[in-house]
Amino acid sequence: MSEKIKMVTPLVEMDGDEMTRIIWKMIKDILLTPYVDLNTEYYDLGLVHRNDTDDKVTFDSAEATKKYGVAVKCATITPNAARMPEYNLKEMWKSPNGTIRAILDGTVFRTPIIVKGITPFIPTWTKPITIARHAYGDVYKNTEMQVQEGSKAELVVTDKDGKETRALIHDFDGTDGIIQGLHNTDKSISSFAKACFNYALDLKQDLWFATKDTISKKYDHRFKDIFAEIYENEYKSKFEAAGIEYFYTLIDDAVARVIRSNGGYIWACKNYDGDVMSDMVATAYGSLAMMTSVLVSPDGVYEYEAAHGTVQRHYYKHLKGEKTSTNSVATIFAWSGALRKRGELDKTPDLADFADKLEKATIQTIEEGVMTGDLAALSTIENKQTVDTETFLVEINKRLEKLMK
Ligand code: NAP
Ligand code: MG
């Protein structure tokens, strides 16, 4: 066998929990280390080690990501009450994804992996739709109240000098009611916009953005204006050079156009729209196990992962010594995404080329009818064969070996 591919700069590797931790090691052993001289800075984000380090390891891994520019992350447990005794936790540690996102000030982009035999519920969606969700503010950081009949509700803003500005929300005449206060910041909206413009340039795909600015003439309009300003000043010429478009429309018009489209673009969504639309789009493409995710910071730092969780139910089966048929595709694509980006940044085309071949071999395996149970349940391919977790990776490697010759 020829020499292994070298890596110049380390890749930040964030290990995780349960079944995805098992898959993580298998992917490295079967598909990566035979071909690549893996140069990673390893952080164990498994819950045991997070608890041992009082979650310091999560913060350290995010700082390392800032330093090196690219990370790949395994799915991790976000502790709830049931995990406290299971892992004998000192505290109910916060979601690592939340912690990392806050440190990198990043935006999450989710893209479905499309294979022949698994038809989206919208059959004209022949190309992926990537959803970018603004993950700060609006209804997720709201203040709300129930209001009694006869009350007057106002917005009050007190500026630095103590001067008050008031606006009437509603006079509750003859009925009780409800009110809600929302906010966002120019800083967060600008970061979101930059992450979206950068990622569109990266993928060479059009960027769509939509709000309800005709109704919300100050709040939503501010989103529209910030996007437009940043586009005009910093990205317009780059978009023109790349032959891609920035397209703004109203949210209801966007929804209608998305349904009629063939896919192949990035759809930037406000927080609530992104929450709702990402679940709709993911479901329409078929399976959460076929959804990749990348966190992109406004200054161009990338963290790749699968969109699904740790697949706990399969892990308990695995612990009992039973074979599982867990789909590793999204985790493989997290690795290929990170290795490709590392190769691009380091100008090592061998590494980027390996990433392409790894993805190709994975898709080829499924399209030739070899797949895990979750996909077999959806695929219309004839003579399909359901395989266990490890056999699936071995089958991918058979094809990868040929592509690497
Ligand atoms: P999950 O791990 O995504 O799994 C939910 C179900 O979806 C599984 O039981 C399985 O269905 C199916 N599934 C998901 N991924 C699959 C795969 N790769 N192959 C085959 N089937 C797959 O979500 P969860 O059970 O709600 O959460 C488990 C843990 O993951 C939680 O502790 C949560 O905090 C964590 N989580 C982490 C992340 C992250 O790190 N990004 C994201 C979400 C959740 P069947 O059981 O029917 O086969
Ligand atoms: Mg949701």
Side-chain angles (χ1 to χ4, degrees), residues 133 140 274-279:
R133 173 180 171 189
Y140 302 85
D275 184 352
V276 177
M277 291 304 161
S278 64
D279 283 2

Side-chain angles (χ1 to χ4, degrees), residues 166-198:
R166 288 169 175 268
L168 178 70
I169 296 172
H170 192 67
D171 267 317
F172 288 86
D173 255 351
T175 174
D176 293 354
I178 41 181
I179 59 166
Q180 185 177 54
L182 307 184
H183 82 280
N184 223 298
T185 67
D186 285 9
K187 182 167 178 280
S188 176
I189 299 165
S190 304
S191 291
F192 175 52
K194 285 181 189 173
C196 291
F197 289 128
N198 284 337

Side-chain angles (χ1 to χ4, degrees), residues 14-17 21 43-51 57 76 87:
M14 304 168 173
D15 207 344
D17 287 299
R21 188 180 179 98
Y43 292 86
D44 183 0
L45 266 55
L47 188 50
V48 173
H49 193 62
R50 274 184 276 149
N51 191 53
V57 65
T76 47
Y87 283 85

Side-chain angles (χ1 to χ4, degrees), residues 230-285:
I230 293 177
Y231 178 67
E232 286 298 325
N233 295 336
E234 299 175 39
Y235 291 94
K236 193 170 185 209
S237 53
K238 290 181 197 162
F239 267 52
E240 282 167 1
I244 57 173
E245 240 179 63
Y246 168 57
F247 173 63
Y248 177 87
T249 186
L250 286 170
I251 184 68
D252 37 357
D253 180 50
V255 169
R257 285 171 187 264
V258 164
I259 295 294
R260 292 196 307 261
S261 78
N262 298 127
Y265 50 86
I266 298 166
W267 184 13
C269 292
K270 286 180 65 200
N271 209 346
Y272 177 83
D273 298 338
D275 184 352
V276 177
M277 291 304 161
S278 64
D279 283 2
M280 186 192 75
V281 169
T283 307
Y285 275 105

